[in-house]
């Protein structure tokens, strides 16, 4: 069993920027040969040149392009043992203001793109698993927005929730040959939200609601993705791992009720005098 990623061929979609680019860099550092897939050909080429990887100019929303790019990656990376479905985009506006075209685009990239890459990669991932005698691995990138939607992101949240469900289906159908997991980031500083993070009020609003007290980084997210691709996570499949600095905890339904009682009851023995306020 290998704990690094030596000898592994892995494709990262949306690898030209943000979380995808950080993932490509980390995978290469851990010994993998990386296919940097992005619809932005220049960005894919720049990251691929930096890490000695393979640039794949491809729109994940076009299945003919996906089929060709994945087959090429398998041939040129010496087999496909891993896939990261990270390409994504979203928007922020009221539900009723999204046009058909908006909704179709958001679903096409975030959900259908993931589906098309999974479908194209399946036979190659199976062959590589047989050759390596270890399961191949896929990581889909969804969002906390798919688990606990945010106002203004209706089609994006729904597409990410569907990605979580798709992860479960693929994990069930492909075990034990291919492991399939999902990563759901909270607020991670990338070009996608640079405008928000650069705004002092918006940034401190996020920090105040995040138990870890700060916005996350692309390289922290890449670390989780690399773990789920590696044989160190060999018994994990079908999971959705949230990486959000604890932000979702502050939205827990009982938090506003029990939170203020914390100071009142802290330090006491919960069983001594029946003052335990209970747990949820
Ligand atoms: P980013 O905008 O920095 O990078 C996205 C990359 O995907 C870009 O290089 C873009 O060219 C590529 N891409 C977009 N559409 C594509 C298509 N049709 N075909 C191929 N490539 C395409 O974004 P970021 O922040 O790195 O996001 C990566 C993933 O993480 C996305 O799926 C996003 O939804 C998800 N995410 C990000 C969060 C954040 O706070 N940054 C929070 C939750 C989820």
């Amino acid at each position: 069993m290998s704990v690094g990623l030596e000898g592994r061929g892995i494709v990262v979609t949306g690898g030209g920027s943000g979380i995808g680019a950080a993932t490509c860099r980390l995978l290469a550092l851990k010994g993998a040969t990386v296919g940097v897939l992005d619809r932005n050909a220049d960005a894919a080429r720049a990251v691929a040149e930096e890490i000695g990887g393979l640039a794949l100019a491809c729109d994940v929303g076009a299945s003919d392009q996906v089929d060709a790019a994945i087959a090429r990656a398998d041939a040129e990376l010496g087999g496909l043992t891993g896939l990261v479905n990270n390409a994504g985009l979203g928007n922020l506006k009221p539900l009723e203001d999204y046009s058909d075209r908006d909704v179709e685009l958001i679903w096409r990239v975030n959900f259908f793109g993931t589906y098309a890459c999974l479908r194209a990669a399946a036979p190659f991932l199976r062959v590589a698993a047989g050759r390596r005698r270890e399961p191949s691995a896929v990581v889909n990138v969804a969002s906390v927005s798919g688990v606990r939607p945010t106002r203004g992101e209706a089609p994006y949240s729904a597409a990410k929730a569907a990605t979580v469900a798709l992860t479960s289906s693929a994990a069930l159908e492909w075990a034990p040959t291919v492991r399939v997991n999902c990563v759901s980031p909270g607020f991670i500083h990338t070009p996608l939200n640079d405008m928000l993070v650069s705004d002092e009020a918006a940034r401190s609003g996020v920090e105040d609601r995040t138990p870890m007290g700060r916005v996350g980084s692309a390289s922290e997210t890449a670390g989780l993705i690399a773990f789920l691709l590696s044989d160190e996570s060999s018994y994990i499949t079908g999971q959705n791992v949230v990486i959000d600095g604890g932000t979702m905890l502050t939205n827990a339904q009982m938090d506003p009720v029990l939170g203020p009682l914390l100071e009142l009851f802290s330090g006491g023995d919960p069983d001594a005098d029946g003052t335990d306020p209970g747990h949820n």
Side-chain angles (χ1 to χ4, degrees):
M1 180 187 285
S2 146
V3 291
L5 294 167
E6 298 82 11
R8 303 276 304 270
I10 301 173
V11 166
V12 180
T13 75
S17 172
I19 294 169
T23 301
C24 290
R25 292 186 184 106
L26 183 61
L27 300 185
L29 209 62
K30 288 178 172 286
T33 312
V34 181
V36 185
L37 186 154
D38 207 292
R39 73 170 168 188
N40 180 335
D42 291 341
R45 197 175 314 114
V47 174
E49 270 173 17
E50 183 191 326
I51 63 169
L54 172 71
L56 298 159
C58 168
D59 177 351
V60 296
S63 60
D64 52 341
Q65 291 184 30
V66 167
D67 291 347
I70 296 287
R72 184 175 162 216
D74 177 73
E76 297 195 26
L77 301 179
L80 191 66
T81 71
L83 168 68
V84 182
N85 285 308
N86 163 79
L89 49 80
N91 206 336
L92 209 57
K93 53 186 171 181
L95 185 149
E96 61 273 28
D97 290 354
Y98 282 95
S99 66
D100 289 357
R101 200 173 156 273
D102 293 337
V103 176
E104 201 270 338
L105 174 67
I106 289 170
W107 269 76
R108 178 156 284 277
V109 177
N110 293 287
F111 177 75
F112 178 73
T114 298
Y115 202 110
C117 289
L118 285 172
R119 191 174 54 197
F124 300 114
L125 292 167
R126 288 199 184 98
V127 168
R131 197 182 303 136
R132 210 169 65 88
R133 295 175 189 274
E134 290 287 350
S136 294
V138 175
V139 177
N140 297 327
V141 179
S143 167
V144 290
S145 192
V147 183
R148 189 160 290 151
T150 311
R151 274 170 286 175
E153 292 187 318
Y156 176 81
S157 299
K160 292 300 196 184
T163 301
V164 176
L166 178 62
T167 302
S168 309
S169 299
L172 274 172
E173 290 194 25
W174 293 358
T177 314
V178 182
R179 297 185 297 108
V180 187
N181 289 293
C182 194
V183 162
S184 282
F187 211 91
I188 310 295
H189 189 186
T190 69
L192 187 78
N193 53 28
D194 191 51
M195 254 171 59
L196 269 174
V197 179
S198 307
D199 181 271
E200 185 57 37
R203 186 184 180 110
S204 60
V206 173
E207 289 170 347
D208 289 350
R209 283 165 186 76
T210 305
M212 292 303 288
R214 61 179 175 83
V215 168
S217 74
S219 60
E220 286 172 307
T221 314
L224 174 59
I225 294 171
F227 168 70
L228 291 171
L229 289 168
S230 79
D231 295 332
E232 287 177 275
S233 60
S234 53
Y235 203 50
I236 304 177
T237 195
Q239 299 306 299
N240 177 32
V241 185
V242 170
I243 174 164
D244 72 340
T247 312
M248 285 221 304
L249 300 173
T250 62
N251 291 332
Q253 205 184 358
M254 291 306 288
D255 182 69
V257 183
L258 294 182
L261 298 179
L262 186 65
E263 258 183 42
L264 201 62
F265 289 97
S266 66
D269 175 350
D271 293 324
D273 54 5
T275 54
D276 181 0
H279 303 280
N280 65 319

